Amino acid sequence: MHVVVNAATSADGKLSTRRREQIAISGDEDFERVDRLRADSDAVVVGVGTVLADDPHLTVKDDSLCDQRRERGEPEHPARVVVDSKARTPSDAAVLDDAAASYVCVSEVAPVDRRMDLSDHARLVTAGDDRVDLLRAFAALESSGLERIMVEGGGELIFSLFEVGLVDELRVFVGPTVIGGRDAPTLADGEGFVEEFPTLSLETIRRVGDGALLTWTAG
């Protein structure tokens, strides 16, 4: 399995405002890059916070990229995966529609009725007691044939993936905007590291409009 975390941050490292409201950080050129990355992936993964805040569809937008996937014998869109310990994903969330396969990863604390409801709309992966055990959940995804994984956020999920060593590559578009706010979400939230820190190797820096795309590999 190869896991790529992709994100867009402001110049000061924020994903959105302190109100968790999305603002335009990147432009058309970066949107096209993200669409290509989705098209090259077997699955796109987000945390439930992203689903509740943005209700993303997580499908490939460019018809020609969808055609290329079909020509390779792949589904038109990659699978959508939500990491959702307590099964809070709404049953009518866009990510659960019939455009592509959907998975919801839950833990044992998720209410049984919510799990049953979600199982009508997605393939359920139960891993972990109080929260999703990402190592077990991602192993289950891999056994389902999902090997090229793109992670689109949010900060809590990204931190947790670094915490368990599942990130192979980090791609960040840094835009020419300052958001500020001590409570605004950052690229990697969660508890934070205090002793041992994940190390990254910078592979490329590319100017994209008035921003920059940085690509690191995990060391």
Side-chain angles (χ1 to χ4, degrees), residues 26-39:
S26 58
D28 290 344
E29 185 176 352
D30 192 59
F31 292 152
E32 292 171 3
R33 176 192 64 83
V34 173
D35 207 33
R36 290 193 299 270
L37 184 56
R38 281 185 186 169

Side-chain angles (χ1 to χ4, degrees), residues 20-101:
R20 307 279 164 164
E21 297 168 341
Q22 291 293 325
I23 68 166
I25 292 175
S26 58
D28 290 344
E29 185 176 352
D30 192 59
F31 292 152
E32 292 171 3
R33 176 192 64 83
V34 173
D35 207 33
R36 290 193 299 270
L37 184 56
R38 281 185 186 169
D40 288 337
S41 302
D42 296 323
V44 180
V45 182
V46 295
V48 65
T50 297
V51 172
L52 295 175
D54 304 330
D55 194 25
H57 202 202
L58 303 181
T59 52
V60 177
K61 303 301 186 288
D62 189 324
D63 290 341
S64 65
L65 294 175
C66 294
D67 291 340
Q68 291 172 24
R69 287 182 59 89
R70 285 192 293 266
E71 290 169 2
R72 296 196 299 263
E74 299 173 351
E76 184 174 342
H77 304 285
R80 290 84 52 89
V81 180
V82 183
V83 176
D84 181 6
S85 295
K86 298 180 180 179
R88 294 186 295 149
T89 300
S91 301
D92 60 352
V95 75
L96 300 183
D97 68 11
D98 59 4

Side-chain angles (χ1 to χ4, degrees), residues 6-217:
N6 182 82
T9 73
S10 60
D12 57 327
K14 306 296 186 180
L15 294 178
S16 65
T17 71
R18 60 184 172 82
R19 296 177 179 173
R20 307 279 164 164
E21 297 168 341
Q22 291 293 325
I23 68 166
I25 292 175
S26 58
D28 290 344
E29 185 176 352
D30 192 59
F31 292 152
E32 292 171 3
R33 176 192 64 83
V34 173
D35 207 33
R36 290 193 299 270
L37 184 56
R38 281 185 186 169
D40 288 337
S41 302
D42 296 323
V44 180
V45 182
V46 295
V48 65
T50 297
V51 172
L52 295 175
D54 304 330
D55 194 25
H57 202 202
L58 303 181
T59 52
V60 177
K61 303 301 186 288
D62 189 324
D63 290 341
S64 65
L65 294 175
C66 294
D67 291 340
Q68 291 172 24
R69 287 182 59 89
R70 285 192 293 266
E71 290 169 2
R72 296 196 299 263
E74 299 173 351
E76 184 174 342
H77 304 285
R80 290 84 52 89
V81 180
V82 183
V83 176
D84 181 6
S85 295
K86 298 180 180 179
R88 294 186 295 149
T89 300
S91 301
D92 60 352
V95 75
L96 300 183
D97 68 11
D98 59 4
S102 300
Y103 294 74
V104 180
C105 302
V106 302
S107 73
E108 295 290 353
V109 300
V112 173
D113 60 334
R114 289 296 305 133
R115 284 194 253 178
M116 292 180 62
D117 185 39
L118 287 175
S119 68
D120 290 336
H121 306 277
R123 303 177 195 182
L124 221 59
V125 176
T126 304
D129 296 326
D130 298 326
R131 56 184 295 188
V132 172
D133 182 324
L134 291 171
L135 290 173
R136 286 172 51 194
F138 273 54
L141 296 176
E142 185 175 25
S143 69
S144 297
L146 306 178
E147 298 182 348
R148 298 168 298 168
I149 306 297
M150 175 187 182
V151 178
E152 293 202 30
E156 297 279 346
L157 174 60
I158 292 172
F159 170 79
S160 296
L161 290 169
F162 273 113
E163 189 176 31
V164 297
L166 277 172
V167 178
D168 296 297
E169 191 175 341
L170 173 63
R171 303 183 187 183
V172 182
F173 173 83
V174 181
T177 303
V178 174
I179 294 176
R182 64 177 61 88
D183 296 325
T186 63
L187 178 69
D189 283 336
E191 295 181 1
F193 299 103
V194 294
E195 292 181 353
E196 297 183 8
F197 305 92
T199 58
L200 304 172
S201 297
L202 182 62
E203 298 295 322
T204 61
I205 302 174
R206 179 166 64 89
R207 179 165 184 162
V208 179
D210 288 328
L213 175 66
L214 291 81
T215 301
W216 288 276
T217 54

